[in-house]
Amino acid sequence: NKIQYKNFQWHTYKTEHFEIVFENGLDEAAKFASTILEKAYIRQTEALHHELKTRIPVIIYKSHNSFEQTNVIPEIIEESMGGFTVVFKSRVVVPFMGSYREFRHVLQHELTHVFQYSLWIGEGIINPYQLLKMNKVPLWFIEGCAEYFGESPRNTHEMWMRDAIYNEKLIPITRLPEHGFAIYREGESIVNFIANRYGEEKLGEIYHNIGILSSFAEVVKKTLGISLEELDRLWRKSLKEKYWAICGTKKIIPYARRLTKHKEHIFNVSPVISPDGKEIAFLSDRGGYESLYLMSSITGEIKNRIIKGGRSDEFESMHLLDAKVTFSPDGKLIAFVTKSRGKDRLIITTKKGKVLKRYSLELDGISHPVWSYDGKYIAFSGLKDGKRDIYVLELAHSKVYRLTNDFYDDITPAFTEDGYIIFASDRDKDKLTKYGLYSLFKISQHGGVPVPVFEYRSTTLRDPVVFEHYIIFVADFEGVNNLYVYDILTGELSALTDILTGVFTPSISKDGKYLVASVYLEGGWDIFLIHNPLDRLSLI
């Protein structure tokens, strides 16, 4: 059994088709899950022409750190795993991370696997995994359907597909592997194509024909009336019609300088530029372990590895998939979050790797720390009992203050020079209909009522960076993440980038002359630097 660092307390909430088992404090998330699952049950029952015969257990953990301690399965849980479904007992196990939109996606994704296993076992197939060995059903179809019914985030799908098409890395249907991102992204694209061209009911027919015919090629021929090769040709043709015009006009930032080039590793993420613009701290999985590095912004040369991760219980994980690093105002210290012994800890270190402070806070998760201009505070997003809110740590007295306390998803704070905090949130008057649509809000670093910065909203709108009267942020207004700039004085919104794939976690120097960000391209993330970014704006 895995090490469990705490005593778990469980509660149960039953619906017609599900038994929701959840950690103490997740009452709101459990009720939300029951509503989403029952709606998804109706849709999938109709689409797949199949009903589940028993009530399905759904186990919800209050953070990914708790989720990784589960003994429902013996395997080690990776950070990239959003949830799983046990085949024979049809138990769904998921973490709640604060975002109801992402929670909905994971629940619907895993419910699809429940239907798959239930249907194929009902057809007399003892072990659904034998379908893979028998070449009856490819993994891209299994996961593609789960992403299709799970309604996966569109910007992630668009980013991956655009990059694969532009770089001619798209894999033919008949050669798709049994692992990797391709089976999810391409699989979802193929299933989407089938549903849009032939009707969603054809997915249900494919499911049932899998139990009858001897190969997936025969299943496609009987269900769609075409060969697997013809399906591949038609799918690729539809992608050309959709993406070729986009790929011809949107590429990499033409005026940016590339500082890293990933090879066997794929992550160079969360860059933060020092106040004087001379150095960049960032996270990377180079060398096989995720670690914190310091790089020259002038030459791109790696100066040193500040913290080596993955080799001790103090630095088990740096959370590469959703991390943030921050410099102190004088540029001498760096703060970041690491997982240690089942909890997130806030670490303050020198640029040489000497750890000065370790903050183990009574929270289920910590993310996106940012230093205040006066150096007295660090703000961050904290997860506690199903609520992700904005917190402030007063460094002199090691006191933590909670600025927001509600079920909205409050993330990625940034300080202003006059003592306010700008953060992203999906808060709205009616959270039941607007959850998952984010905007920027402003609150005093000492607390108060959050007020909207502007009226723009998007499914991804986050990572604000404040410079003078400008707010630079990430949003997917055009389908993938790009950088935008909002002028607080004039109310004007401008685009800073218009690229093919996606931009993440911007950071700007104190004088505003240099901006760094992580960009996804060629199957991985690399760091780019823009000189005089505010001279390159394009009004929207």
Side-chain angles (χ1 to χ4, degrees), residues 476-493:
D476 61 351
F477 294 137
E478 300 295 328
V480 296
N481 290 1
N482 270 292
L483 295 180
Y484 295 87
V485 180
Y486 180 73
D487 190 326
I488 299 174
L489 298 181
T490 66
E492 293 178 335
L493 180 67

Side-chain angles (χ1 to χ4, degrees), residues 18 65 68 89 98 106 117 159 172 197 200 260 268-269 278 291 313 315 334 409 433 462 485 506 539-540:
F18 301 94
N65 290 333
E68 291 172 30
K89 295 184 179 180
V106 174
Y117 302 151
M159 176 185 76
R197 185 181 179 96
E200 191 173 84
T260 65
N268 293 289
V269 296
K278 295 180 180 180
S291 300
D313 60 358
F315 303 109
I334 296 171
D409 190 23
T433 60
R462 54 181 292 156
V485 180
L539 282 177
I540 296 178

